[in-house]
Amino acid sequence: EGVPDAVAAFAARLPEVIRGRRVLLVRHGNTAKAEVDAERELTDHGREQCRRFREAWASSLSGVSSVLASPVKRTAETAALLSEPLGLQVRLVEDLYFVRPWRHEAMKAADRDCGYAPVSEYIQRHPGSHDVAAKTMAAAVAEAGADLPPGDLLLVGHAGYLSFLALEVVDAMASTMPVASKEAWHTAARQAVLDANVGEVCGFEVSGASGARYLPNPEATDF
């Protein structure tokens, strides 16, 4: 399915929203089961993952001035725990959650087929399946970020979808760079995202100065 024009227009604003910022994208922590997906909550292990990630990547988190998260319990709590030492309020963004009207049948089929896997596997086996998701999340960040204060940005989301959003962030950041340095930076940064199977409370740091890197958790995770 194609990306709606209004969504594409908002997504096109992402480069300006993230210009001059480092962007951190982190998956939620370990959860307990629940009858309804949105009701899943962090376990004690999930909270410990948040604490360990916060300690391990304190320097990366230190510049964060804004936090956007999927609105469900597990992502909201992960975001709150990661940003607690910074004294920041978490802004909940509906379209950072994947159970939305835009999640069409081809997207669901790709999710079932690939499961927890690097985003490169999704792109190879189901090309285009998550284009709407990627652009919708990018548009949501761009819209929410229009009035953010200066400083770095933390985004907290879900496995698979987080990587598609990270690719949007990489592409947007590359579009603001000088031509001479853009190609090598863009290629390396995209590869860092494509290769990663994102574990619980793990994620990416994307910076115009240093590219993209995977941020593992010292605590045990699912990957």
Side-chain angles (χ1 to χ4, degrees):
E1 297 187 19
V3 177
D5 290 344
V7 170
F10 264 111
R13 302 179 189 179
L14 186 61
E16 288 307 312
V17 169
I18 65 173
R19 184 186 292 272
R21 304 179 191 269
R22 285 182 313 129
V23 181
L24 284 77
L25 304 98
V26 180
R27 182 185 162 204
H28 64 80
N30 181 262
T31 65
K33 293 182 179 180
E35 290 187 11
V36 178
D37 181 82
E39 296 299 314
R40 289 166 55 196
E41 299 185 52
L42 295 186
T43 60
D44 288 342
H45 180 49
R47 296 184 187 94
E48 179 65 9
Q49 289 170 332
C50 292
R51 187 188 70 79
R52 294 292 302 279
F53 183 92
R54 197 173 66 195
E55 290 178 351
W57 301 108
S59 60
S60 294
L61 290 164
S62 64
V64 169
S65 62
S66 302
V67 185
L68 306 179
S70 160
V72 298
K73 290 183 177 181
R74 61 191 184 273
T75 42
E77 186 178 4
T78 297
L81 289 171
L82 292 180
S83 60
E84 187 177 47
L86 303 172
L88 300 174
Q89 292 292 316
V90 177
R91 184 183 300 190
L92 303 179
V93 177
E94 291 292 332
D95 278 327
L96 292 182
Y97 183 45
F98 58 89
V99 182
R100 300 287 290 158
W102 45 258
R103 188 174 179 238
H104 52 69
E105 289 305 316
M107 201 180 302
K108 294 176 184 178
D111 290 345
R112 289 192 297 269
D113 180 44
C114 295
Y116 295 101
V119 71
S120 57
E121 190 167 324
Y122 278 81
I123 292 170
Q124 181 180 9
R125 291 164 63 174
H126 299 274
S129 64
H130 285 68
D131 288 355
V132 171
K135 292 299 182 186
T136 302
M137 290 185 291
V141 171
E143 185 174 10
D147 60 350
L148 295 181
D152 298 336
L153 179 60
L154 171 62
L155 307 173
V156 180
H158 302 268
Y161 291 83
L162 188 80
S163 295
F164 280 104
L165 178 56
L167 290 175
E168 291 292 315
V169 169
V170 166
D171 291 350
M173 198 171 287
S175 74
T176 69
M177 301 177 73
V179 174
S181 57
K182 177 164 62 175
E183 185 175 352
W185 183 97
H186 192 203
T187 300
R190 280 186 63 87
Q191 199 61 52
V193 175
L194 289 167
D195 288 345
N197 193 4
V198 182
E200 296 158 334
V201 199
C202 301
F204 304 102
E205 179 183 51
V206 186
S207 163
S210 55
R213 62 172 175 165
Y214 183 64
L215 304 179
N217 197 314
E219 183 72 9
T221 71
D222 48 357
F223 305 116

